[in-house]
Amino acid sequence: MQGPKVKAKLGRDDWAQRSFMLVIGLYLIIALALPLYAMLSKAFTTYHFDLSQYEVQVSDENGAFGDTLTLSNHNMLATPSVVEDLSTNTNGRLGVTQFFPDFSFRSPVNYRFRGVTPDAVYLIGSERNKGPDWVELDSNTFRRIVLRPNSERGLANFKTYFSTPALFQSVQNSLLIAVIVTVITVSLAFWFAYALARSKMRYKGVFRMIAMMPILVPSLLPGIALLYLFSPRQGMLKALMFDHDINGPIGIVIGSVFFTFPHAMIIISTALSISDARLFEASESLKASRWRTFWTVTIPGARYGLFSAAFVVFNLVITDFGLPKVIGGNFNMLAVDIFKQVIGQQNFEMGAVVSMVLLVPALLAFGIDRRMQKKQVALLTARSVVFEPKPNKRMDWFFFAYSSLVAIFIAGIIAVCQFAALIKQWPYNLSLSLKNYDFSRMDGGGWGSYTNSLLLAIFTAIIGTVVVFLGAYMVEKTRGFEKGRALFQALAMLPMAIPGMVLGIAYIFFFNNPANPLNFIYGTMIILVVSTVTHFYTVSHLTAVTALKQMDTEFESVSQSLKQPFYKLFWRVTVPVSLPAILSISIYLFVNAMTTVSAVVFLYSTDTALASVAVLNMNDAGDIAPAAAMGMMIFYTNAGARILHALLSKGILARSNAWRQTG
Amino acid sequence: MLDSAPSIYLRIENLWKNFGDFTALREISLDVIEGEFLCFLGPSGCGKTTLLRAIAGLDLQTTGKVEQAGQDVSNFPPAERDFGIVFQSYALFPNLTIEKNISYGLENAKRSKSEIKARVAELLELVGLPDQGKKYPAQLSGGQQQRIALARAIATKPGLLLLDEPLSALDAKVRIFLRHEVKELQRKLGITTVMVTHDQEEALSMADRIVVMNHGTIEQVGTPLEIYRDPASLFVADFIGAMNQMVAEATESQITIGNIKLHCDNMGLTGRVVATIRPEDVLPVEVAGENTLEATIDSMEFLGSFYRAELSNSEMGKAEISADFSINAVRRLGLEVGASLLVQLPADRLKTFPEAS
Ligand SMILES: Nc1ncnc2c1ncn2[C@@H]1O[C@H](COP(=O)(O)OP(=O)(O)O)[C@@H](O)[C@H]1O
Ligand SMILES: [Mg+2]
């Protein structure tokens, strides 16, 4: 017979750890779950004027009032109706005189006005009235009555969205572009990664470095380079376009291949590097042809990596905002639609709807990618022998040529931007100058936006690393508390599924609400840091969790048995042992904070203009050369940060050589 | 010692552990005597580690009571209990030197630096590694690392030492050497110790008492000799040492295997049973007597200090009996494959168990 359940008595450490987890969990709820909820409810809210809610009596010139009619009746009496479309948004206002064709503010006619239900609201001037008490007004006052819209929950916004061809077309466009780019990028990246992993070609280090360069610049930078090269008016190589416009799908595809390439390359490289060398040897000993080996060993071994890369690229493209904004022309994409609806038309509800539409493919791609990654990890642990390629002159030359072409494409784009930044005035004055770096003469925030970006990157790197690592530590090492930990883990995975644009608009809804006590962070550096840390939370979290999982789980047990507090173990062992991972997290956050556009484009204010947004704005204003120059500033900064990171990592590894077995 | 009853240091009462629908420990009750070396022995997955972690408070039991030194610690966090622990993986902190690893638990306001230093030196001496203090764990061999882990676990003089398969990661030679070392150290310190192992030889050679576990329950508790000589269940009989098993028909004081009847105290068991006898208890004899039977040697294998022979008898049906014969006996009786001989299955060494379902 089982006795009563034993309920754990919580020690000091348990309380401390759970509090930490609670605090970081709360952070994720406030910075992610609640804003998303605000956006969700916005997408399902519609506003319309309900004319049947208001009744009017009109007097003759002698003051004798006639029948009571609702505004709705009045609206119908006229043919065609005075107002056909009664839907509006939060800020909608509707005057009433238009329903009375004979209205004149000088006429002696009097009006009586009331709401039908107690909560039918209307304004007289700026005074708020409601309810079923008749109000008698002369003509001159009557014209100052303004109706407020009613809000309603429902799918009406979605109906509008899907019945507006201009909006709905974007879904098709975005999917089409994402699929095309996915196919091109994954194919290109596969052979590139293959050359790095399976050939003996020279200069692999250089190739790898060049392939990583796009990560260091905003996704819209290739757009600027492409404009320089191919713009119909003054592109250097416009002849190559044969009358096609680079603005539009062609530009988006080329630019997207550029900025997604390193992401696909890393994932596929990992997959190829863990494929089992023993299989190749077996295949070789069976005298299977290279081609056969490729199809029966290489591809199956790397398949999860290929799928994973495909979904990551798809996701990056479909959620990217900067590039189609710069080079999309009239070709509408979902992410840009969100921006247009919110910033251009102030139609927040429709912005929220487009966000929801964008969430669907993003969530799908995210979900599938997670599954693939898990299977990949399972392969990783089961296999171990590292493949050592053998020289093969012909193949090595072929791969060298191929990799060179890819590298020229990538380095070329960056070089064009650098060139553009240094040319005095394309195409008239080709002499070199630094005047494009004099940002104070342009719109976009000047050098201030650069320092803001630098600050944002530093804050994000420091605060983000601390928050992420602490959170990962607590979720991995807290004793018991399974449900809390599972919830935290789910929250930590969520940001990866949320496109930046969606996060940004969700922040507007949540933080720009005067009723929100956190409203004060709106328009400050704080909200930029919060949004950026949140946006890039998941990858950082996974890096931390992976590092923590590699540590012996019994360290905690031993420390507890020796009655030492958890923070002692954390400081003396966990942090030092995880230092390489901690550094990776901070450089990841730094680089992304420097380049990100999507979430922050909704959230910056004049005091907190950012370099990446400045590139966008200067380009919009036609200052393409300074935009390129600012893009290059971001590039230099990130490259510098990467070099610093490499030096630091090397130093740490050297110092810990004594105790790291692998050192 | 002689005049007082052994005092109980750790008492486990009706302890259960469920993982969802799966019951990993069922109705565990157990007393651990002060100063004894107790082993949890059983096949992999039987719940040994789970029980050890419940004792430590690292993973609480679902229900049941754990009492340590007279105090009910059932729901205490590990830090509020009193034990040192050593794992199969050593779990030494890789970035701390050996000295720092050992002094990790000693560092607090009450101890001075010199005090700590002296204690660390003493412990290093105790585990036989006096000069290794400045090295890092990765620079030591597996056996050395495990000794450091042991030193770290006993540094604060805990009342209870818990060892979870401490020797399983080491190679055979080091393992046998360390068995002796650990046992020696435990005796010297007189610390109550619970060790988990799946290696019966390890348990038999180190433990004062053994707890044999299977499928989350305790099969038997006893000294190594008791467990070996008087297994309480067919499982224990089978798990520890070599054992002949023969299906038999039992009456009050007799069993029938095929057409052969043997005397044997069945302790009230009747009907279909499994009769067991250890190979070394099968005796070659020269004159027929109680429980003797004629057997043919089907095969013989030399195992270093004795021969193991497989015997059969047409009357017994298909049953084969393994028997261990000394080199002497083999020479004296001229035993070889194909030869016949008379063997005795002594009634007091024959044990019967209900057939496993
Ligand atoms: N955290 C867990 N969740 C579910 N099942 C577990 C867990 N830990 C152990 N088990 C199961 O409980 C049983 C006993 O495990 P364990 O105590 O580790 O066995 P062992 O005797 O080898 O030390 C095993 O069947 C194991 O699969
Ligand atoms: Mg175990």
Side-chain angles (χ1 to χ4, degrees):
Chain A
M1 228 25 262
Q2 279 187 265
K5 260 206 156 88
V6 177
K7 258 190 92 89
K9 175 182 170 211
L10 298 183
R12 212 183 28 184
D13 277 8
D14 297 312
W15 285 116
Q17 289 177 321
R18 287 176 194 203
S19 316
F20 265 111
M21 214 159 101
L22 193 73
V23 169
I24 298 175
L26 265 178
Y27 166 84
L28 283 172
I29 288 177
I30 292 173
L32 187 66
L34 293 181
L36 284 176
Y37 178 77
M39 186 199 79
L40 204 72
S41 65
K42 203 67 165 181
F44 288 101
T45 308
T46 48
Y47 294 89
H48 74 281
F49 299 106
D50 188 352
L51 298 181
S52 61
Q53 290 273 327
Y54 305 97
E55 287 179 342
V56 189
Q57 293 177 352
V58 188
S59 75
D60 58 20
E61 301 191 354
N62 305 322
F65 282 96
D67 294 339
T68 305
L69 287 177
T70 63
L71 283 181
S72 176
N73 298 142
H74 283 285
N75 192 27
M76 247 94 89
L77 284 175
T79 36
S81 305
V82 179
V83 182
E84 292 274 6
D85 184 9
L86 291 167
S87 57
T88 177
N89 58 36
T90 350
N91 304 318
R93 300 284 185 274
L94 190 68
V96 293
T97 52
Q98 55 188 312
F99 297 108
F100 303 89
D102 306 330
F103 177 80
S104 156
F105 67 91
R106 289 207 193 87
S107 92
V109 168
N110 277 353
Y111 296 85
R112 281 183 183 156
F113 193 85
R114 69 165 187 175
V116 173
T117 58
D119 43 32
V121 180
Y122 57 94
L123 306 175
I124 304 176
S126 56
E127 183 197 340
R128 194 163 177 276
N129 276 37
K130 67 180 196 174
D133 296 327
W134 285 111
V135 182
E136 197 167 325
L137 306 159
D138 59 27
S139 294
N140 196 24
T141 319
F142 183 66
R143 69 172 173 163
R144 296 176 59 214
I145 289 187
V146 178
L147 303 185
R148 296 289 314 275
N150 283 22
S151 72
E152 223 170 58
R153 297 275 151 143
L155 293 169
N157 290 331
F158 288 86
K159 266 189 217 137
T160 315
Y161 178 81
F162 287 108
S163 55
T164 312
L167 286 173
F168 187 53
Q169 178 68 37
S170 301
V171 177
Q172 210 180 327
N173 290 352
S174 278
L175 288 176
L176 183 71
I177 296 284
V179 168
I180 294 174
V181 173
T182 301
V183 171
I184 298 177
T185 303
V186 171
S187 317
L188 285 177
F190 174 79
W191 289 111
F192 195 90
Y194 188 87
L196 288 176
R198 298 286 158 77
S199 84
K200 275 277 190 194
M201 72 174 179
R202 303 182 59 184
Y203 305 117
K204 281 188 192 175
V206 178
F207 284 133
R208 199 170 280 130
M209 216 174 68
I210 293 177
M212 299 302 291
M213 271 166 41
I215 283 187
L216 306 182
V217 298
S219 62
L220 50 85
L221 204 69
I224 291 176
L226 291 174
L227 283 179
Y228 255 87
L229 288 172
F230 301 114
S231 113
R233 279 185 296 129
Q234 37 185 253
M236 299 181 223
L237 305 173
K238 64 182 173 202
L240 286 179
M241 292 296 294
F242 301 109
D243 290 339
H244 295 287
D245 193 345
I246 190 70
N247 284 294
I250 302 178
I252 302 177
V253 167
I254 300 177
S256 297
V257 169
F258 172 87
F259 90 84
T260 55
F261 186 84
H263 300 272
M265 204 268 301
I266 295 169
I267 296 171
I268 299 172
S269 278
T270 312
L272 285 176
S273 70
I274 62 171
S275 304
D276 197 345
R278 284 168 296 185
L279 291 176
F280 291 95
E281 277 148 23
S283 184
E284 221 159 78
S285 69
L286 292 172
K287 301 253 178 300
S289 72
R290 252 172 184 277
W291 193 237
R292 206 178 134 78
T293 306
F294 177 78
W295 282 110
T296 53
V297 180
T298 306
I299 291 291
R303 67 185 182 281
Y304 296 128
L306 284 170
F307 284 130
S308 177
F311 286 106
V312 166
V313 170
F314 180 89
N315 210 347
L316 283 170
V317 175
I318 207 160
T319 59
D320 181 52
F321 159 72
L323 187 66
K325 180 81 175 66
V326 166
I327 204 168
N330 298 323
F331 191 78
N332 286 336
M333 299 271 285
L334 281 171
V336 182
D337 279 351
I338 298 180
F339 185 77
K340 282 187 189 159
Q341 290 296 328
V342 171
I343 301 294
Q345 310 187 5
Q346 297 283 309
N347 189 343
F348 293 96
E349 289 77 31
M350 199 46 70
V353 169
V354 186
S355 298
M356 299 283 298
V357 172
L358 183 59
L359 257 182
V360 174
L363 277 174
L364 270 181
F366 164 79
I368 297 171
D369 173 52
R370 287 303 304 158
R371 289 184 66 125
M372 294 295 159
Q373 294 275 6
K374 279 213 179 103
K375 291 191 174 166
Q376 177 87 62
V377 170
L379 280 184
L380 176 74
T381 46
R383 297 171 168 186
S384 55
V385 183
V386 179
F387 180 78
E388 192 49 53
K390 297 188 187 68
N392 175 331
K393 223 169 185 168
R394 237 182 52 208
M395 294 306 276
D396 291 348
W397 268 110
F398 170 77
F399 281 124
F400 181 79
Y402 171 78
S403 304
S404 301
L405 282 179
V406 175
I408 287 170
F409 165 64
I410 292 173
I413 295 264
I414 304 262
V416 168
C417 282
Q418 181 59 83
F419 184 63
L422 288 174
I423 294 289
K424 227 174 204 158
Q425 196 174 18
W426 176 263
Y428 311 109
N429 182 349
L430 295 188
S431 61
L432 300 179
S433 97
L434 287 175
K435 102 176 175 353
N436 291 325
Y437 286 84
D438 186 2
F439 301 120
S440 55
R441 293 157 16 127
M442 327 285 165
D443 288 343
W447 276 100
S449 65
Y450 174 75
T451 35
N452 281 340
S453 267
L454 202 56
L455 275 181
L456 171 65
I458 292 170
F459 284 143
T460 302
I462 294 172
I463 298 171
T465 306
V466 171
V467 171
V468 165
F469 194 77
L470 271 178
Y473 178 79
M474 297 308 158
V475 79
E476 273 300 302
K477 306 291 181 184
T478 297
R479 199 171 65 104
F481 201 41
E482 280 79 11
K483 283 199 187 109
R485 283 159 57 189
L487 182 70
F488 187 97
Q489 188 66 23
L491 273 174
M493 294 310 297
L494 191 56
M496 188 136 111
I498 308 300
M501 295 301 283
V502 178
L503 193 68
I505 187 176
Y507 271 39
I508 298 185
F509 293 141
F510 185 66
F511 290 106
N512 193 22
N513 178 354
N516 186 336
L518 291 171
N519 179 241
F520 71 93
I521 74 168
Y522 196 76
T524 66
M525 183 57 98
I526 302 175
I527 198 170
L528 296 180
V529 175
V530 169
S531 75
T532 311
V533 169
T534 310
H535 188 182
F536 299 104
Y537 197 97
T538 306
V539 172
S540 317
H541 176 77
L542 289 174
T543 308
V545 165
T546 307
L548 288 167
K549 272 197 200 302
Q550 282 166 356
M551 225 171 288
D552 195 325
T553 50
E554 309 299 8
F555 286 170
E556 274 68 27
S557 308
V558 166
S559 184
Q560 285 164 21
S561 78
L562 295 170
K563 305 192 186 333
Q564 301 301 315
F566 79 95
Y567 50 84
K568 177 171 171 183
L569 183 70
F570 183 76
W571 268 122
R572 299 243 342 240
V573 179
T574 314
V575 169
V577 173
S578 317
L579 217 47
I582 291 175
L583 277 183
S584 313
I585 294 171
S586 49
I587 185 74
Y588 168 82
L589 288 173
F590 182 95
V591 166
N592 278 297
M594 281 304 293
T595 58
T596 190
V597 177
S598 52
V600 293
V601 75
F602 288 126
L603 303 173
Y604 75 96
S605 67
T606 44
D607 295 336
T608 56
L610 296 173
S612 52
V613 180
V615 178
L616 192 77
N617 289 343
M618 288 193 275
N619 179 70
D620 257 6
D623 295 328
I624 305 183
M630 187 62 99
M632 289 314 291
M633 284 308 301
I634 296 175
F635 176 72
Y636 311 144
T637 311
N638 277 338
R642 283 302 273 254
I643 292 169
L644 193 68
H645 168 249
L647 290 177
L648 270 176
S649 301
K650 222 173 177 176
I652 285 168
L653 279 182
R655 269 200 12 208
S656 57
N657 233 349
W659 57 267
R660 266 182 223 279
Q661 280 143 313
T662 52
Chain B
M1 276 297 244
L2 283 177
D3 50 5
S4 67
S7 71
I8 290 164
Y9 180 72
L10 186 73
R11 163 165 277 165
I12 296 161
E13 263 178 48
N14 192 20
L15 184 143
W16 296 63
K17 175 76 182 184
N18 306 321
F19 291 112
D21 290 339
F22 175 70
T23 306
L25 293 175
R26 179 186 300 274
E27 216 180 345
I28 303 285
S29 294
L30 179 70
D31 289 340
V32 184
I33 298 162
E34 175 127 41
E36 80 169 327
F37 193 121
L38 189 78
C39 266
F40 294 164
L41 173 65
S44 174
C46 72
K48 308 177 297 287
T49 297
T50 307
L51 181 54
L52 196 78
R53 293 181 75 86
I55 293 172
L58 292 169
D59 286 307
L60 284 191
Q61 67 276 23
T62 311
T63 65
K65 189 164 154 190
V66 178
E67 207 175 85
Q68 184 176 1
Q71 189 184 17
D72 183 355
V73 297
S74 301
N75 63 351
F76 280 30
E80 290 175 30
R81 303 188 189 202
D82 180 24
F83 67 96
I85 192 163
V86 173
F87 296 99
Q88 184 177 345
S89 64
Y90 325 133
L92 292 175
F93 306 132
N95 62 323
L96 303 184
T97 60
I98 299 307
E99 277 174 354
K100 292 281 176 204
N101 263 283
I102 296 178
S103 68
Y104 184 86
L106 297 168
E107 294 157 1
N108 67 34
K110 281 191 223 105
R111 289 194 187 81
S112 72
K113 281 229 167 75
S114 58
E115 215 177 316
I116 294 174
K117 215 170 155 194
R119 176 79 180 137
V120 169
E122 183 191 351
L123 285 159
L124 280 171
E125 192 73 41
L126 194 64
V127 297
L129 296 168
D131 316 318
Q132 312 284 350
K134 299 279 181 245
K135 289 189 178 169
Y136 287 99
Q139 294 166 317
L140 300 189
S141 73
Q144 289 173 323
Q145 290 189 50
Q146 198 55 299
R147 282 191 272 171
I148 299 300
L150 195 61
R152 181 178 62 180
I154 59 177
T156 53
K157 302 187 178 163
L160 178 65
L161 180 61
L162 303 175
L163 311 168
D164 191 352
E165 310 245 8
L167 308 180
S168 301
L170 305 171
D171 44 22
K173 237 178 161 171
V174 182
R175 194 155 61 209
I176 289 167
F177 171 71
L178 268 187
R179 265 184 211 167
H180 182 72
E181 292 273 293
V182 172
K183 177 71 195 169
E184 213 32 52
L185 191 71
Q186 188 269 341
R187 217 191 315 253
K188 203 157 33 172
L189 299 173
I191 183 174
T192 312
T193 301
V194 178
M195 181 174 93
V196 161
T197 179
H198 65 270
D199 180 343
Q200 43 150 327
E201 246 182 71
E202 203 169 284
L204 291 171
S205 68
M206 293 175 81
D208 295 325
R209 288 197 305 150
I210 295 176
V211 178
V212 184
M213 295 178 61
N214 186 29
H215 289 314
T217 56
I218 293 180
E219 293 271 341
Q220 187 174 5
V221 182
T223 64
L225 199 62
E226 283 166 1
I227 301 264
Y228 189 81
R229 299 290 299 212
D230 282 313
S233 66
L234 190 56
F235 171 81
V236 177
D238 187 41
F239 188 70
I240 291 168
M243 186 64 100
N244 287 299
Q245 294 182 30
M246 298 155 290
V247 177
E249 210 53 54
T251 59
E252 186 97 352
S253 60
Q254 189 173 296
I255 52 172
T256 312
I257 306 169
N259 292 327
I260 293 184
K261 293 190 186 330
L262 298 166
H263 287 283
C264 149
D265 183 2
N266 292 319
M267 318 283 279
L269 205 60
T270 56
R272 248 174 115 76
V273 295
V274 177
T276 63
I277 186 166
R278 294 213 182 269
E280 69 262 28
D281 290 331
V282 178
L283 303 173
V285 290
E286 281 161 69
V287 287
E290 190 196 47
N291 285 2
T292 53
L293 55 104
E294 182 90 18
T296 312
I297 300 178
D298 292 339
S299 67
M300 269 171 87
E301 192 184 357
F302 182 54
L303 293 177
S305 52
F306 63 88
Y307 285 88
R308 176 155 296 171
E310 300 301 324
L311 311 176
S312 64
N313 175 314
S314 55
E315 296 288 295
M316 253 173 53
K318 285 206 187 89
E320 286 235 319
I321 301 178
S322 301
D324 293 349
F325 299 137
S326 67
I327 300 170
N328 243 328
V330 170
R331 188 168 337 117
R332 188 161 42 88
L333 302 169
L335 302 180
E336 56 185 17
V337 174
S340 302
L341 81 163
L342 215 51
V343 290
Q344 185 181 34
L345 311 181
D348 63 334
R349 301 310 324 147
L350 264 175
K351 289 189 69 87
T352 50
F353 296 99
E355 221 180 1
S357 50

